[in-house]
Amino acid sequence: MDVKAPLERYREVTRSNVDVERVVRSADLLRSSGVKHTFRTTVVPGLVGKEDVVKIGEWLNGAGSYLIQQFVPQTTIDPAYLEVKPFGRPELEAIVAAAKPYFCDVRLEGPE
């Protein structure tokens, strides 16, 4: 399940009027389903970073698998993001380390 942001920032990050309670219900249903699953967040400098990942971890605390996905500035809806430089390796490792206390397994995906 793609988790765009911490709940309190969901509408801001998605730039939509998303019903946050539906996001919560979806995550709860998935967590209680017994089906193997992974939560995933794309980290984007200036938009979603380490503090956000910690808040997501606090919300989903105890979940099995969490994938942190590196932002790649290609085919973005907002052309301004084509100019955003992705996080460097040290920053990504710090984000992964910040998520580890909350999930059984934390992985990083994306170009180095």
Side-chain angles (χ1 to χ4, degrees):
M1 177 177 167
D2 196 37
V3 177
K4 301 285 188 193
L7 296 173
E8 65 272 14
R9 294 196 60 229
Y10 228 89
R11 290 182 178 144
E12 171 195 352
V13 170
T14 63
R15 297 181 187 180
S16 70
N17 195 22
V18 65
D19 183 344
V20 176
E21 285 306 312
R22 287 183 178 213
V23 175
V24 171
R25 281 196 307 269
S26 295
D28 289 348
L29 283 169
L30 191 56
R31 290 177 74 180
S32 65
S33 70
V35 172
K36 186 175 178 180
H37 61 276
T38 299
F39 291 102
R40 176 187 68 197
T41 301
T42 300
V43 290
V44 183
L47 186 63
V48 178
K50 184 169 81 171
E51 297 79 17
D52 298 304
V53 166
V54 168
K55 288 179 182 176
I56 291 166
E58 290 170 349
W59 162 38
L60 297 174
N61 192 15
S65 182
Y66 188 54
L67 177 66
I68 296 171
Q69 182 171 281
Q70 169 69 294
F71 166 74
V72 178
Q74 299 173 2
T75 42
T76 63
I77 293 172
D78 182 342
Y81 284 98
L82 293 172
E83 305 301 319
V84 173
K85 182 181 178 206
F87 285 114
R89 192 67 183 182
E91 295 161 305
L92 289 171
E93 289 174 1
I95 293 169
V96 168
K100 284 189 175 185
Y102 304 101
F103 300 93
C104 298
D105 175 51
V106 178
R107 292 175 286 124
L108 177 62
E109 179 179 88
E112 293 188 29

